């Protein structure tokens, strides 16, 4: 059947205009061969942008798929970055290639915090769903899920020396987790409100937390496991062993043992530090060496504190004591009385001192610090007005800090590539090459092909805009009722005309391109003609507008449009009606009523036969301009329809709504053609290029999106089918988690979650096992047929096995299991029905005998044994298989361990040989010697400079 009408698909081609999204943090990253502190990573809707702050350029884009980025965490190796998303997924990107090979799906809602351990081998993630998950980065799988918090997780930190984890949450609790036993052994309840952030100081011996007040609370951590090994507890243990009476032993144990919470560590309050800000802590962070603490609230001030070393604290205490002694001696001289020896108590303020404050240009949303060589501290700030600022502080002599306050120098500011506020109006030039976007303070002209800013000009709050014919000037209508004319060549404001007494909501170009029509909140529609007048300073003529006519109306004008045949003028009013007037006489022609709320936008087709209106009542109505009859009312969006426009020379049109969607419709067939999803906030405006090949849209998420028309045709039935499939997949993901038999609901659970991918992977494994069964039956039948025939008969090959390289059926099953993502393997096996398990265990036995993928097979085997233990042990038929698996598993794992041990010993031997031959030390020793050489060179240079 032939296509009666062909629609072409529009796809997203670029996201621009956003410098940094507010939902995710800012982080310093180091690219290959790049200078330390030169590049910062910020979220840009679903992507991650890497900016070169020195050049102000975008150097790398880590492309997301659909959901918004909510957290960034660079890896300790500097080559990777972990990115958390709104849907709970975590992806690890390579900063070398920009590709993502590892994806973790475990959380149900947005990821709120991500943290690496010191080696980068483990990853901890916290989410708005109150769960904390620990992931194995090397094996690309989840280790376990920790449950216990009652609200969003705000911070999660590894304590490397003791294999512990500390987490904070908006439920006002700080919890300590033992990662060996996977349980919460201590809960800190000293906060009265949400804990918004925390950091570890002094080599994990102090915890600093930020809450909803102006205090930063400090907690001293003492690890009791170390203390137990050194003294009195040994004697008590011996004494308890010598006591024969059981009851006495129990009493002795109760006397010796501490409370269950204090068996690993104790955490006691050590005071607090007062911030200057009175509001809550928004974010707090430390540099990598834990020397400088940065924290801020909802204002534009960043507070920096320095953590002094023990030597510096002792030096400061010595100065204090000296000062106190002088004061006591003076008091003794004045009064001739005995004065007690002064004693100086060490306080938290002596160990953590205020460094300086940094005043940013706008409210701060996120902060990151980086300690560079030469005692330089670099600070990156992500501001709430779509700006990134970086500052530098010279802290080369920390000992002198208490006496001298360092000043922060602003080193860079990223502002050119985006607006400070939402872009409320868009326009295309007549040649499709330039895009105009205007916001509350600036108007920018972009090159569509390169997405670079061509011109940036200061303006009033813009509500509507257009290119003047010729594309050399632009006109803006502002909230103050003024018409502003800008010259693009010079970037100057040519004229500022007071057009309306209220907001100028709409401006439309007349079809003859000789003038414009404006509508405003002063209940008037004004007509203007273009004129060329001589400039006052130069003889060169410049463009201006001349007021010719005024149409007075009874309500505020929200939108105006002139029909392409220049016969009619359509005006949308605040009373939810659209009035149509004759253009030449301004006499009333039609009143289009039916909307329940005001009409916010309208457009007229190229042949002047149709008019479409979009309203705050979420409906779009299609009217005929000959009689004013309503052809169809479409429920277009789930919120107000903010903008609509016809595709030139067609009856297709686009609508944009506050429901974050852009939709394309057919005004003749009244059908929805396609839905463009991508924006994460309300869509304010859109513009279709004169050729119809491009579409640009602006949103409350500060982004501008460019959509390209492709050559791919859209089949409406297929589109609806794809939408139904997407809804079904979402419903699968929202279903309850599969239950593991014998496991009760506690504070530990499996890390991964059931997703569409895991269900599809389980289906692929089942299909492979069914193919294996079918091939096994076919082989038996073939053997039986050969025996009856008395000769060898040809065996027809399976086309699937032929496509995979003519592999055996058992090897095909293994290949299918290998292709399942490591992070999704457990959940895929958990979804697998039990009737497939016996056959899979028999295959595992075969793989172990052939030494095929021993590690993968053991991992799958142990997981299946754990979740199906009851059914497997109660099945007598499987005892022989389990016995064989036990023997094969032990022998094969022992072989692998022997190989690893042999290789490790060989590498250590080679290292010793090379060290003895070349007399150089590897790795840490080599870098240590290099640092010593650099220090000696610096000392020599200082001596030479002093002599000079």
């Amino acid at each position: 059947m032939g296509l009666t009408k062909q629609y072409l698909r529009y796809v997203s081609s670029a996201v621009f205009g956003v410098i940094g999204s507010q939902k995710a943090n800012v982080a310093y990253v180091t690219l290959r061969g790049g200078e330390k502190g030169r590049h910062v990573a910020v979220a840009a809707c679903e992507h991650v942008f890497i900016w070169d702050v020195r050049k102000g350029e975008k150097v790398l884009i880590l492309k997301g798929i659909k959901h918004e980025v909510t957290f960034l965490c660079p890896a300790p190796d500097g080559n990777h970055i972990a990115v958390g998303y709104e849907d709970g997924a975590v992806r690890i990107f390579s900063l070398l290639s920009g590709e993502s090979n590892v994806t973790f799906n475990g959380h149900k809602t947005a990821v709120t915090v991500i943290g690496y351990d010191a080696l980068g081998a483990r990853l901890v993630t916290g989410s708005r769903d109150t769960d904390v998950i620990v992931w194995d980065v090397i094996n690309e799988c989840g280790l376990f899920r920790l449950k216990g918090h009652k609200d969003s997780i705000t911070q999660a930190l590894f304590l490397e020396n003791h294999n512990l984890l500390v987490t904070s949450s908006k439920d006002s609790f700080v919890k300590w987790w033992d990662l060996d036993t996977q349980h919460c052994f201590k809960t800190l309840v000293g906060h009265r409100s949400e804990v918004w952030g925390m950091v570890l100081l002094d080599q994990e011996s102090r915890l600093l937390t930020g809450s909803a007040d102006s205090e930063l609370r400090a907690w001293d951590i003492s690890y009791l496991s170390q203390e137990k090994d050194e003294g009195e507890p040994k004697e008590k243990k011996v004494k308890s062993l010598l006591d024969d009476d059981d009851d006495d032993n129990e009493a002795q144990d109760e006397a010796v043992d501490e409370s269950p919470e204090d068996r690993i560590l104790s955490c006691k309050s050590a005071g607090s530090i007062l911030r200057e800000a009175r509001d809550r802590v928004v974010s707090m962070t430390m540099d990598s060496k834990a020397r400088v603490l940065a924290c801020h609230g909802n204002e534009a001030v960043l507070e920096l504190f320095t953590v002094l070393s023990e030597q510096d604290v002792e030096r400061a205490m010595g100065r204090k004591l000296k000062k106190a002694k002088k004061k006591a001696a003076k008091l003794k001289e004045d009064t001739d009385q005995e004065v007690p020896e002064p004693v100086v108590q060490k306080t938290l303020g002596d160990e953590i001192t205020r460094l300086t404050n940094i005043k940013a240009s706008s409210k701060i949303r996120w902060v990151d610090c980086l300690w560079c060589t030469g005692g330089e501290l670099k600070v990156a700030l992500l501001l709430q007005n779509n700006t990134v600022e970086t500052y530098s502080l010279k802290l080369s002599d920390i000992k002198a800090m208490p006496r001298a306050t360092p000043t922060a120098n602003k080193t860079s500011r990223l502002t050119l590539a985006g607006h400070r506020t939402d872009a409320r109006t868009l326009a295309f030039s007549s040649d499709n090459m330039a895009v105009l976007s205007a916001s509350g303070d600036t108007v920018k002209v972009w090159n569509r092909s390169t997405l670079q800013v061509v011109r940036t000009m200061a303006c009033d709050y813009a509500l509507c805009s257009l290119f003047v014919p010729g594309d050399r000037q632009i006109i803006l209508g502002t909230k103050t009722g003024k018409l502003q004319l800008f010259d693009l060549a010079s970037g100057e404001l040519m004229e500022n005309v007071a057009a309306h007494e209220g907001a100028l909501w709409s401006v439309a170009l007349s079809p003859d391109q000789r003038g414009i029509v404006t509508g405003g909140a002063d209940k008037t529609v004004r007509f203007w003609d273009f004129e060329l007048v001589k400039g006052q300073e130069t003889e060169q003529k410049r463009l201006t507008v001349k007021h010719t006519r005024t149409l007075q109306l009874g309500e505020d004008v929200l939108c105006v449009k002139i029909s392409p045949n220049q016969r009619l003028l359509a005006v949308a009013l605040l009373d939810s009606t659209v009035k149509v007037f004759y253009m030449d006489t301004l006499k009333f022609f039609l009143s289009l009523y039916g909307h329940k709320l005001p009409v916010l936008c309208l457009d007229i087709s190229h042949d002047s036969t149709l008019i479409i209106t979009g309203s705050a009542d979420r409906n779009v109505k299609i009217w005929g301009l000959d009689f004013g009859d309503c052809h169809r009312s479409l429920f277009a969006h789930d919120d107000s329809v903010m903008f609509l426009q016809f595709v030139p020379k067609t009856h297709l049109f686009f609508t944009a709504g506050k429901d974050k969607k852009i939709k394309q419709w057919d005004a003749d067939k009244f059908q929805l053609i396609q839905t463009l999803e991508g924006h994460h906030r309300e869509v304010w405006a859109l513009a279709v290029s004169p050729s119809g090949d491009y579409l640009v849209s602006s949103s409350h998420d500060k982004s501008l999106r460019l959509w390209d028309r492709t050559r791919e045709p859209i089949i409406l039935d297929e589109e609806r089918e794809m939408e139904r499939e997407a809804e079904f997949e979402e419903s699968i993901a929202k279903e309850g988690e599969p239950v593991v038999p014998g496991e009760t609901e506690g504070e530990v659970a499996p890390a991964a979650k059931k997703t569409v991918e895991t269900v599809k992977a389980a289906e692929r494994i089942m299909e492979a096992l069914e193919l294996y069964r079918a091939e096994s039956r076919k082989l038996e039948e073939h053997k039986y047929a050969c025996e009856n025939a008395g000769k060898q008969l040809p065996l027809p090959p399976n086309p699937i096995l032929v496509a995979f390289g003519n592999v055996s059926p058992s090897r095909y099953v293994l290949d299918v299991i290998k292709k399942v993502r490591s992070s999704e393997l457990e959940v895929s096996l958990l979804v697998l029905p039990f009737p497939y398990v016996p056959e899979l265990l028999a295959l595992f036995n075969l793989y172990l005998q052939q030494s095929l993928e021993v590690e993968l097979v053991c991992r799958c085997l142990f997981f299946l044994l754990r979740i199906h233990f009851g059914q497997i042990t109660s099945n007598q038929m499987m005892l022989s298989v389990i016995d064989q698996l036990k023997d094969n598993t032990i022998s094969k794992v022992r072989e692998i361990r022997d190989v690893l041990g042999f290789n490790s010993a060989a590498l250590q031997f080679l290292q010793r040989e090379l060290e003895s031959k070349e007399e150089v030390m590897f790795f840490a020793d080599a870098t240590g010697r290099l640092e010593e050489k650099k220090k000696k060179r610096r000392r020599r240079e200082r001596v030479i400079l002093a002599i000079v």
Side-chain angles (χ1 to χ4, degrees):
M1 186 181 75
L3 294 174
T4 55
K5 190 166 186 178
Q6 185 172 339
Y7 305 110
L8 297 178
R9 187 182 299 280
Y10 283 80
V11 296
S12 177
S13 65
V15 178
F16 62 105
V18 57
I19 295 172
S21 296
Q22 308 301 304
K23 268 201 168 183
N25 58 315
V26 59
Y28 274 108
V29 294
T30 305
L31 299 185
R32 183 195 291 171
E35 183 185 337
K36 196 176 181 183
R38 183 167 177 172
H39 300 96
V40 295
V42 291
C45 299
E46 69 270 24
H47 305 309
V48 176
F49 288 170
I50 310 294
W51 292 93
D52 184 334
V53 293
R54 184 176 295 177
K55 293 182 179 179
E57 295 177 354
K58 214 181 299 174
V59 294
L60 184 63
I61 299 176
L62 308 178
K63 293 192 175 180
I65 300 171
K66 180 181 177 183
H67 297 280
E68 202 171 3
V69 175
T70 55
F71 204 86
L72 305 173
C73 182
D77 64 2
N79 295 329
H80 297 86
I81 185 169
V83 182
Y85 291 90
E86 184 76 27
D87 64 340
V90 177
R91 299 173 71 195
I92 298 178
F93 286 88
S94 168
L95 292 173
L96 305 177
S97 63
E99 299 295 325
S100 169
N101 296 322
V102 182
T103 302
F104 296 133
N105 281 302
H107 295 290
K108 299 181 183 71
T109 53
V111 176
T112 54
V113 64
I114 302 175
Y116 275 98
D117 66 357
L119 296 175
R122 288 181 301 176
L123 190 72
V124 60
T125 60
S127 168
R128 212 179 291 154
D129 62 7
T130 74
D131 291 348
V132 177
I133 302 179
V134 180
W135 307 89
D136 185 346
V137 177
I138 297 170
N139 202 24
E140 298 179 14
C141 67
L143 296 176
F144 42 82
R145 181 191 303 264
L146 302 172
K147 298 182 176 184
H149 284 291
K150 305 299 181 189
D151 209 334
S152 299
I153 310 298
T154 55
Q155 186 59 282
L157 301 169
F158 282 105
L159 282 78
E160 301 294 340
N161 299 330
H162 303 84
N163 200 27
L164 305 177
L165 181 72
V166 57
T167 60
S168 64
S169 169
K170 286 166 68 175
D171 60 6
S172 79
F173 296 140
V174 174
K175 287 183 177 287
W176 302 81
W177 308 82
D178 187 346
L179 297 182
D180 292 326
T181 57
Q182 300 163 20
H183 80 287
C184 174
F185 64 88
K186 188 176 185 63
T187 300
L188 204 61
V189 292
H191 301 88
R192 297 181 181 177
S193 55
E194 300 95 335
V195 182
W196 289 100
M198 63 179 181
V199 291
L200 284 168
L201 310 175
D202 300 337
Q203 297 176 345
E204 301 178 358
S205 65
R206 176 166 288 163
L207 184 72
L208 207 63
T209 58
S211 188
D213 51 19
S214 59
E215 289 185 29
L216 295 178
R217 293 172 176 81
W219 310 83
D220 280 339
I221 308 167
S222 56
Y223 299 94
L224 302 179
S225 56
Q226 294 177 352
E227 296 173 9
K228 279 184 182 180
D229 298 335
E230 300 177 353
E232 190 183 1
K234 277 188 181 177
E235 298 172 8
K236 292 187 177 179
K237 284 180 185 176
V238 172
K239 188 178 178 183
S240 65
L241 287 170
L242 295 173
D243 200 337
D244 294 326
D245 192 353
D246 292 338
D247 297 332
D248 289 346
N249 278 340
E250 289 176 10
Q252 202 92 17
D253 290 338
E254 287 175 7
V256 170
D257 288 346
E258 299 84 2
S259 64
E261 283 192 350
D262 292 336
R263 282 180 180 164
I264 298 174
L265 59 80
S266 65
C267 192
K268 297 176 182 177
S269 177
S272 62
I273 304 169
L274 279 176
R275 299 187 297 124
E276 290 183 358
R278 297 295 173 215
D279 54 351
R280 75 171 180 89
V281 172
V282 173
S283 75
M284 57 190 297
T285 185
M286 296 285 295
D287 68 302
S288 57
K289 295 188 177 180
R291 293 184 184 179
V292 178
L293 167 70
C295 67
H296 65 91
N298 281 313
E299 300 304 319
V301 177
L302 176 72
E303 298 180 51
L304 293 176
F305 299 87
T306 180
V307 182
L308 299 180
S309 63
E310 289 183 10
Q311 294 83 359
D312 293 334
V313 173
E314 288 174 6
R315 201 176 292 115
M317 294 306 294
R319 284 196 297 265
K320 268 191 178 182
L321 185 60
K322 194 176 180 181
K323 197 173 181 181
K325 283 181 179 179
K326 279 185 182 179
K327 194 174 181 182
K330 190 176 181 184
L331 184 64
K332 186 177 180 182
E333 286 177 8
D334 294 343
T335 59
D336 292 331
Q337 293 179 0
E338 284 295 324
V339 178
E341 188 70 20
V343 178
V344 179
Q345 294 288 337
K346 186 167 69 172
T347 63
L348 187 65
D350 297 322
E351 301 177 42
I352 303 174
T353 60
R354 185 176 297 277
L355 188 58
T356 187
N357 287 356
I358 296 177
K359 182 78 166 67
S361 59
S362 181
K363 291 182 179 179
I364 303 172
R365 187 65 190 89
W366 295 97
V367 61
D368 193 28
C369 299
L370 182 68
W371 187 274
C372 299
T373 54
E376 183 184 10
L377 180 73
K378 292 187 177 181
V379 180
L381 301 178
L382 175 61
L383 308 183
Q384 289 189 4
N385 64 350
N386 195 29
T387 306
V388 173
E389 290 182 350
T390 60
Y391 294 83
S392 174
L393 289 87
K394 286 288 183 182
L395 308 178
S396 53
D397 192 4
I398 296 182
K399 297 173 185 177
M401 271 186 222
R403 299 180 179 273
T405 302
T407 56
N409 301 314
K410 188 185 290 185
T411 53
S412 63
R413 189 164 183 253
L414 301 178
T415 57
L416 189 65
H419 290 281
R420 308 285 72 74
T421 56
D422 298 350
R424 300 305 294 257
T425 176
L426 299 166
F428 261 104
S429 62
S430 59
D431 59 357
N432 308 303
M433 286 304 296
V435 178
L436 179 153
S437 64
S439 66
D441 55 356
T442 55
V443 54
K444 291 179 180 286
V445 179
W446 309 76
N447 185 316
R448 180 194 52 77
S449 57
T450 63
L451 302 178
Q452 297 297 316
V453 180
V454 179
R455 281 282 180 272
T456 300
M457 298 159 281
C459 66
D460 293 343
Y461 197 114
L463 297 175
C464 51
S465 62
L466 55 81
F467 276 90
V468 175
D471 298 334
R472 294 185 178 182
Q473 296 88 16
I474 59 172
I475 294 178
L476 297 183
T478 68
K479 202 172 185 179
T480 55
K482 293 180 179 178
L483 272 177
Q484 294 186 324
L485 277 77
F486 290 90
D487 181 47
L488 291 183
S490 62
E492 295 177 355
L493 176 64
M494 296 167 56
E495 194 161 358
N496 203 358
V497 181
H500 291 266
E501 294 175 6
L504 200 161
W505 288 110
S506 181
V507 59
L509 184 68
S510 62
D512 60 4
Q513 299 189 342
R514 293 184 178 181
I516 57 174
V517 180
T518 61
D522 57 357
K523 305 177 184 179
T524 60
V525 175
R526 297 178 187 267
F527 297 80
W528 310 78
D529 285 346
F530 293 129
E531 276 193 350
L532 289 171
V533 297
K534 286 186 178 181
Q536 296 178 355
E537 299 177 359
T538 60
E539 293 296 320
Q540 191 175 3
K541 290 185 177 182
R542 63 178 180 83
L543 183 74
T544 184
V545 289
K546 180 183 176 183
H547 180 229
T548 56
R549 290 188 294 173
T550 301
L551 174 62
Q552 188 69 40
L553 295 159
E555 292 287 342
D556 291 8
V557 177
L558 298 180
C559 191
V560 295
K561 203 76 179 177
I562 305 172
S563 63
N565 60 9
Q566 213 161 345
R567 179 170 167 263
L568 301 171
L569 170 72
V571 183
L573 302 177
L574 197 61
D575 62 359
S576 307
T577 64
V578 176
K579 299 281 195 295
V580 183
F581 300 89
Y582 288 106
M583 188 69 182
D584 48 0
T585 62
L586 297 184
K587 286 185 177 179
F588 177 75
F589 173 48
L590 291 171
S591 179
L592 310 178
Y593 56 89
H595 284 290
K596 297 179 179 66
L597 291 172
V599 175
L600 303 178
C601 47
L602 60 87
D603 198 13
I604 300 174
S605 63
H606 69 286
D607 53 6
S608 303
T609 57
L610 296 177
I611 179 171
I612 50 175
T613 57
S615 166
D617 63 6
R618 303 176 288 178
N619 290 310
V620 169
K621 291 184 185 291
I622 304 170
W623 315 77
L625 264 181
D626 41 6
F627 302 110
D629 55 324
C630 181
H631 292 181
R632 185 65 64 93
S633 180
L634 304 170
F635 184 76
H637 292 271
D638 296 329
D639 209 332
S640 302
V641 181
M642 298 303 297
F643 206 89
L644 50 77
Q645 187 177 346
F646 273 108
V647 178
K649 300 178 183 177
T650 68
H651 280 183
L652 308 179
F653 65 93
F654 283 96
T655 62
K658 277 189 176 180
D659 61 353
K660 315 173 192 176
K661 295 176 182 175
I662 299 169
K663 296 184 179 182
Q664 188 185 20
W665 306 81
D666 188 340
D668 293 331
K669 294 188 174 181
F670 319 120
Q671 286 181 323
L672 172 64
I673 300 170
Q674 65 173 328
T675 302
L676 305 179
E677 294 184 353
H679 285 294
H680 302 283
R681 297 290 182 280
E682 301 92 331
V683 183
W684 296 129
L686 61 84
V688 183
S689 67
S691 65
D693 289 334
Y694 306 101
L695 173 76
V696 67
S697 56
S698 72
S699 168
H700 185 45
D701 59 15
K702 299 284 196 305
S703 70
L704 304 176
R705 287 180 183 264
L706 184 67
W707 312 81
D708 291 352
R709 183 163 64 186
T710 63
R711 300 296 101 192
E712 179 190 351
I714 293 177
I715 314 302
L716 295 183
D717 293 340
E718 289 183 5
E719 283 291 303
R720 302 294 90 82
E721 182 65 28
M722 286 166 62
E723 288 174 8
R724 285 192 291 271
E725 284 180 6
E727 288 177 7
F728 174 69
E729 289 179 356
E730 284 184 9
S731 66
I732 287 178
K734 289 178 182 176
E735 287 178 4
E737 294 297 316
V739 179
V740 179
E743 289 196 4
T744 57
E745 184 70 24
E747 61 183 20
V748 183
K753 69 172 183 180
K754 181 181 175 184
T755 61
V756 180
E757 286 77 16
T758 58
V759 173
K760 288 180 178 177
E763 288 174 353
R764 287 195 296 271
I765 295 172
M766 287 189 282
E767 287 170 2
L769 288 169
E770 284 169 1
L771 184 142
Y772 173 74
R773 284 178 188 170
E775 287 297 306
S776 300
R777 283 196 300 269
K778 190 166 75 172
L779 190 61
E780 289 176 4
E781 291 170 0
H782 179 259
K783 282 182 182 177
Y784 184 71
C786 291
E787 289 175 1
N788 289 340
K791 61 178 181 179
Q792 189 69 25
L793 299 174
L795 178 67
N798 189 303
I800 296 176
L801 299 178
V802 172
F804 276 82
N806 227 353
V807 295
S808 64
S810 60
R811 189 58 192 253
Y812 173 69
V813 175
L814 182 61
D815 289 342
V816 170
I817 295 174
K818 277 172 64 178
K819 286 177 183 176
V820 179
R821 277 183 180 170
S822 180
S823 57
E824 298 168 355
L825 184 60
E826 276 86 359
V827 183
S828 301
L829 293 173
L830 189 58
V831 175
L832 197 69
F834 181 74
Y836 291 93
V837 173
E839 204 153 14
L840 200 53
L841 293 180
L843 282 171
F844 286 166
N845 201 5
L846 179 65
Y847 300 148
L848 288 170
Q849 289 172 0
Q850 298 174 2
S851 298
L852 295 174
E853 301 293 338
V854 175
E855 291 179 37
L856 176 65
V857 169
C858 287
R859 182 180 165 194
C860 298
L861 172 63
F862 297 151
F863 183 76
L864 288 173
L865 288 175
R866 184 163 68 86
I867 63 173
H868 297 296
F869 180 78
Q871 290 170 291
I872 290 173
T873 53
S874 61
N875 191 340
Q876 295 291 327
M877 303 291 291
M878 297 187 66
L879 285 177
S880 59
V881 177
I882 296 298
D883 283 339
Q884 291 175 10
L885 279 170
K886 183 185 74 171
D887 297 337
N888 291 331
T889 304
I890 292 170
S891 63
K892 294 301 176 182
V893 171
R894 189 176 290 136
E895 285 178 15
I896 289 177
R897 286 178 63 187
D898 291 344
V899 170
L900 286 173
F902 182 84
N903 289 341
S904 176
L907 288 172
Q908 290 172 9
F909 173 75
L910 283 174
Q911 181 183 355
R912 287 194 299 270
E913 286 290 310
L914 288 171
E915 284 176 2
S916 62
K917 284 181 182 178
E918 302 178 11
E919 295 182 352
V920 294
M921 300 296 287
F922 277 117
F923 310 121
D925 295 334
T927 54
R929 288 185 178 186
L930 185 64
E931 289 296 324
E932 286 177 11
K933 286 181 181 177
K934 285 182 180 177
K935 285 179 183 176
K936 286 178 183 176
R937 193 185 305 122
R938 287 194 205 108
R939 285 194 205 114
R940 284 199 300 270
E941 288 171 357
R942 285 198 202 104
V943 170
I944 293 166
L945 287 171
I947 292 169
V948 172

